[in-house]
Amino acid sequence: MDLSKKFWEADLSDIRRGYYIDVQKQTQSLSQVPALASALASAKSYVCLICGAVFEKGIIYPMEGVLYEAERAVQAHIAAEHGSLFEYLLGVAASSGGITELQSELLRQFHQGTDDAEIAKLLGQGSTSTVRNHRFKLREKEKQAKVYLALMSLVGKQEGADALVGVHRGAKMVDERYVFTEKEKEQIIHKYFEDNGQGPL
Ligand SMILES: [Zn+2]
């Protein structure tokens, strides 16, 4: 499944609803009119995470004989064009190898509210205690995923301030001279070069 960069950058809450709010995207023609530009200063767009379709706040979208405002329009668009978001995400999880076929089917049944006895029968999974055991394992997986997500977001933050500076391409020898952070690099550039390294030497 070829998903956009935006999908993977999106917050968990955005992925759950299938769209994100973009505060920058505005209709070019509208923002060129000064009176409208200020009115649109806080203009938002709702962008489908699956296909990138954009719905601008302040515009009414007709769909199947109904007029929708932007946020309702992106929701209607997802339902009409992409079907169930749950099924879509299940497909993403399965194709990325995140879950097994059995886990995928269990999640589908849990989502539909099927009771354990029925699930056991449907999947040939023996007794209800086997199904309960699967549920427990999936919960454990959820906890692991949460901690992993938190760890990765902390690593991401680190990259901004104190990330180690990459070794430049022509480097022949890589040693501790290269172990300095982005912050230190900035200080060095500031100290030795005028105009933050942009000016002439
Ligand atoms: Zn879409």
Side-chain angles (χ1 to χ4, degrees):
M1 224 168 275
D2 191 23
L3 287 169
S4 69
K5 199 166 161 257
K6 284 282 181 197
F7 182 92
W8 298 114
E9 285 172 355
D11 284 344
L12 190 57
S13 58
D14 290 344
I15 291 179
R16 276 182 63 155
R17 63 183 181 182
Y19 61 93
Y20 69 96
I21 299 169
D22 189 341
V23 282
Q24 263 116 60
K25 237 166 232 159
Q26 290 171 20
T27 305
Q28 206 60 37
S29 56
L30 287 182
S31 48
Q32 275 163 4
V33 181
L36 279 171
S38 61
L40 284 168
S42 60
K44 290 178 187 169
S45 296
Y46 300 91
V47 186
C48 172
L49 274 174
I50 301 170
C51 72
V54 178
F55 298 84
E56 286 177 54
K57 199 177 160 94
I59 293 178
I60 300 298
Y61 295 86
M63 258 183 258
E64 314 237 344
V66 181
L67 297 175
Y68 292 98
E69 64 90 13
E71 188 160 20
R72 292 292 295 273
V74 73
Q75 292 164 354
H77 156 84
I78 290 168
E81 299 296 322
H82 310 299
S84 151
L85 192 62
F86 183 86
E87 284 298 326
Y88 182 80
L89 294 175
L90 212 52
V92 175
S95 70
S96 66
I99 52 172
T100 66
E101 216 170 292
L102 174 63
Q103 285 171 331
S104 165
E105 194 49 40
L106 283 161
L107 286 173
R108 180 177 288 119
Q109 297 305 327
F110 294 154
H111 182 242
Q112 287 169 1
T114 314
D115 67 52
D116 286 3
E118 188 66 23
I119 294 174
K121 222 193 296 172
L122 272 172
L123 303 180
Q125 284 297 300
S127 62
T128 53
S129 67
T130 317
V131 176
R132 275 201 299 275
N133 193 34
H134 280 302
R135 185 182 273 115
F136 175 78
K137 278 188 193 151
L138 285 167
R139 288 259 150 80
E140 287 302 302
K141 210 172 160 68
E142 182 190 10
K143 287 181 197 166
Q144 291 163 359
K146 269 189 183 162
V147 174
Y148 183 68
L149 210 55
L151 281 171
M152 288 308 283
S153 78
L154 288 172
V155 170
K157 273 199 194 108
Q158 194 77 3
E159 273 169 13
D162 285 323
L164 297 180
V165 170
V167 176
H168 69 83
R169 269 188 217 191
K172 294 271 189 292
M173 281 175 60
V174 180
D175 56 33
E176 67 275 10
R177 285 175 305 158
Y178 286 104
V179 184
F180 55 88
T181 66
E182 199 66 51
K183 230 191 271 169
E184 288 165 335
K185 181 184 162 193
E186 242 169 68
Q187 285 163 357
I188 292 166
I189 290 174
H190 203 78
K191 191 173 167 188
Y192 294 104
F193 303 94
E194 288 186 39
D195 299 324
N196 271 338
Q198 302 302 311
L201 288 177

